[in-house]
Amino acid sequence: MEKTSKKRKKTFTRRAFLKGLGGSAAGTALASKFLRRGLAAPPQEMEAAPVHSQKTVTFSVNGRTVSLEVEPRETLLDVLRQKLNLTGTKKTCDRGECGSCTVLLDGQPVYSCLYPAIRVEGKTVTTIEGLAYGDELHPVQQAFIDKDGYQCGFCTPGFIMSSVALLNRNQKPTFPEIKTALSGNLCRCGNYVKIYEAVRTASERMRKA
Amino acid sequence: MKEHEIVDDLNLAYLEEARGKKAQGKDVPAEAGEDFKLIGQPTARIDGRLIVTGRAKFTNDLTLMNMLHAKILRSPFASAEIVSMDLSQAQNLPGVKAVIKLKEGRVKYEGEQVAAVAAISEKTAEEALQLIKVDYKILPHVVRPEKAVEEGAPQIHDSANVEKFNEYSRGDVDKGFAEAEVVLERTYKTAVEIHQTAETHASIAKLDEDRLTVWDSTQAAFSVRDGLARTLGIPTSKVRVIKTYMGGGFGSKLGLNEHTVVAARLAKETGRPVKIVLNRRENSLCVGNRPSTSITIKGGAKKDGTLVCLSMKNYTCGGVGRGDRCSEPLIDIYKCPNVKVEEYTVYTNTGASRPTRAPGHVQGTFALEGFLDELADELGLDPLELRRKNYSSANQGETGIPYSSKGLNKCYELGAAKIGWERRNKKPGEGGGKIRRGLGVASQIWWGAGVPGTLADIKIHRDGSVEVICGTQDIGCGTRTYIATIAAETLGLKPEDIAVKIGDTVYPWAPSSGGSQTTPSVAPAVRDAALKAAERLKQLVSTTLNIPASRIVLAGKKLFDKENPDVSVTFQDAAKELRREAVFHGERSDLPAGFAYNSFGAHFAEVEVDTETGQIRVAKVVAVHDVGRVINRLTAESQVVGGITQGVSTALFEERLIDDNTGQMVNPNLQGYKISTSMDIPEIVPIFVDLIDPRINNLGTKGLGEPPRIPISAAVANAVYNAIGIHLREIPMTPDKVLKALQGKEANS
């Protein structure tokens, strides 16, 4: 089932990665793997799911290398949420209109809902779960808390990823540059003004640090 | 002294008195809050870390063992008869666990539910939907209210397409018009708006024996619980609803949704948990919308601006559902002896309406405040003066009773100074040039007194740790944080010391989070519980320290003698005296009779209108609000910022578009349905008048959800009027409308 790719040899195995992810993630993902193989007894009916062609892709997520099977119709967003249990990345429109699903792909912000999972081979993905160093939040995350750069919190991961991408390429963005960089993210609660403040605060703190 | 000043001063005098007493070292009533250290300050959310790390779990982020995924097949037609339905192919698709019919006979709008599937994955469920064969007989439809009122239009329900649902009158409008020196009649129109919550609607249903547990993206856990019990015919005691995090509701998640019932039915059918998550198109079509309106106001005034009569006729279209009652602002806010209102729903073959942040008030305020500006111009008066002239210290509606507190005059004063009101065009449109600037104002009234009987418990453990438990829900306003703040303030702790447990119907009852009622319901209940806990601890410590309980103060994680602060015990030691974990029950008290409880505000907008492109840019908004005591200044500001951003969106962009011929929505997505982006946001200045209501509850606080959403669209439209000299009388004010109006003006001049 898990074909060995050239790249995979020097990386973690999927199983090792899942162990690292922790109990709940591993539980979900392993369960589906076993069920697909028909190893687990109940529920039997799972074996009968429609079969689609799959391809193994190997890529890095939040500093760990994963290798897993994806269908050509699956988006990176669905793979992150459903197969890796990284549910911090949100689905709002599922068609590239809102930015809730923004992740960093080789450092660039992309809409993961429009990105075919089969194209992620060999790339580096950073999601909202991968920003903090243990308990220490990324300065952008901390600034969103301090400036109340959110309301319901649903679009927040996407905004934070876009903001991080901006500050990675431009340490001292002007106000119009902040607005433009965030123009691909929608906040329906309408807290943009507070989000600008958060990004400006993070920018100042990162330059001082 | 003018009459209105008495009401404003009533509370200021009360505060002055409290402050005077404090200065003299006398006891100050607790509700004056003069000693508050946390309440009223900006406090970062206690759950911020969860949100910014992506660990806050929304309904769609939850996965249960053996869970199935459901999808709903919906009518593609605005009006059709289901002739036959064949589920067999879908049932035979591997991975499909159940297929159920949801509709027989006639479907009345695009998106109405027809059948549902539960399968092992979302994608399998989607595939199965395509295998359900439905034979429709297409029937004539009508989607435009102007056509639905015509003779011979296709009928939506069993009754006529136009239905009166509200009428009101006081005085005698005919007499009023006879007395009036200036009479004006104008019609204002608003479009259908879609809530477009970031998180689409989602539910998970799980049945254990005869007990149903539902995780729901909802603003109203208890209302969903009661609705499920009623719909499914099971006792309320066997239904539990849990709301974790929720990605925006704005009214579209108030109460039970059809798809939640579908999930419960499929859970029963399959014996497995079932998750259902709507997509963006479904969210656009069938979970509600703000009804459109066509409001005609005819009003008369004396030459000095005294209003003598107002009549209003509202035709409001809520699709297959009701229109919005839009007359409250006109009935209540200004002094006017003769008022007459008639409101009609117009039914069409479109999805049913739903409360949308400040239902009726957004549309009614747009019409009323626009009318006042046009009247002010007719009278040659400053629009702000016209409003002040007709200021009222008593609720003008059926009650006629005085407001418990009203800080609207203060809002006018602070807002006018901050925006620089004197910079407006004295005559609308008098400025020249390609870019025209203008200023506009609009007033706001809303309820938001909260619901008596709301419950909250405080549990103190023997180790001194504290929980607040309440069935309310945080819909993005920072409810968890102010609950912790109030408990911490009262018990002398820090917000982060308090564990807040909310969002579950097994917890004490709290009302739906809609209508600006969460804070004025929940905050006083938490305060009440905390005061009881503090009182009990003081009594226990009073024996230990051998001083009267009245001398004991809770602060800095200690209980100490206020006359000799060195005599103290830690909070932790005091908690041990409780001997076992103790629960203190808090309840939001009744509202004293004889007063009207309303919130007030005024928005001042500055706009730039590009006369070549027709584009409107909102440059600045000053928003001044009287919402009683502000509990958390940080999150309160966010409420205002959000309300204004949404209101600018309503004023300039938002409109559900439906194709007349097909009866189908052409913009059921976020590309075609325009909402404010980061490029459209004005400078926003939120100001609170901090007028603490002495009667409304033990914290003197009013709700803030609706207020900042209400006057903004009207203020922007009035500013555009001030800039170009034409009131567009219709939102959204898209560039085509602006250019058409400017061309019309040129042709007339």
Side-chain angles (χ1 to χ4, degrees), chain A residues 95 97, chain B residues 196 280 284 665-673:
Chain A
R95 43 182 277 168
E97 297 165 350
Chain B
Q196 298 294 21
R280 181 56 47 193
S284 305
M665 183 173 175
V666 297
N667 57 348
N669 48 59
L670 293 172
Q671 186 185 25
Y673 186 89

Side-chain angles (χ1 to χ4, degrees), chain B residues 55 245 266 274 279 361 370 372 395 411 494 509 526 564 569 600-601 604 614 647 663-664 682 689 720 725:
Chain B
R55 284 182 291 131
Y245 277 81
L266 287 168
V274 173
N279 62 29
H361 275 54
L372 283 182
N395 184 300
C411 296
K494 292 223 150 64
W509 183 86
V526 174
N564 183 8
V569 292
F600 300 91
F604 293 78
Q664 290 170 331
V689 299
V720 170

